Amino acid sequence: MTEADWAVAVEVFRASLPRRGDKGRDDRLFLEALHYFSVNNITWRSLPERYGHWNSVWKRFSRLSKAGVFEIFFEHLASLSTSADLVQMFDSTVVRAHVSAAGAKGGNMAKRLAAREAASRPKST
């Protein structure tokens, strides 16, 4: 992102924040941390120290998410765009299921059951 893009993003973010409560120390650094987090697909604990302590960033993100700040932020950003109606998704996440989530049972028992079923099928003539 260019400096002009960051300036717009920070101003829109500040306009989206609730009026009550403690204000963040450095909104740009916080937004850069979120950008780094989402672009590099890392865990919160892997966030580089230059963005501050990972738990502080996560707590602020969690608190603002629950308050609906990011929905307002994205709506404000979309209102500034001439092509916002063409874009349906701002971000995506890859979700990986555990191998046991497939539902099939593995191991020798599954092989024995498959062999038993194959043996019990009527043979066509």
Side-chain angles (χ1 to χ4, degrees):
M1 290 177 57
T2 65
E3 287 299 318
D5 292 338
W6 277 114
V8 169
V10 169
E11 286 306 311
V12 171
F13 181 71
R14 287 183 181 146
S16 305
L17 291 173
R19 302 290 175 233
R20 295 180 5 211
D22 186 27
K23 304 302 176 211
R25 303 291 180 253
D26 189 351
D27 292 330
R28 167 136 182 203
L29 188 65
F30 174 69
L31 290 176
E32 286 178 359
L34 295 182
H35 182 258
Y36 185 90
F37 174 80
S38 61
V39 167
N40 293 300
N41 194 22
I42 60 171
T43 62
W44 286 108
R45 289 180 185 264
S46 301
L47 199 63
E49 191 63 36
R50 70 178 176 263
Y51 298 115
H53 193 269
W54 69 268
N55 197 28
S56 299
V57 177
W58 175 80
K59 281 182 183 178
R60 185 174 182 200
F61 172 76
S62 177
R63 187 174 59 250
L64 293 176
S65 293
K66 290 175 184 172
V69 169
F70 292 106
E71 286 82 5
I72 296 168
F73 175 58
F74 294 140
E75 287 174 12
H76 287 166
L77 282 178
S79 69
L80 296 174
S81 173
T82 57
S83 62
D85 58 329
L86 302 176
V87 179
Q88 296 297 317
M89 184 182 301
F90 185 81
D91 187 22
S92 66
T93 304
V94 176
V95 178
R96 294 187 183 120
H98 190 270
V99 293
S100 65
K105 297 191 183 216
N108 292 334
M109 186 65 165
K111 291 178 186 174
R112 284 192 303 244
L113 289 174
R116 187 181 309 160
E117 284 181 26
S120 66
R121 284 190 206 134
K123 304 220 187 310
S124 63
T125 54

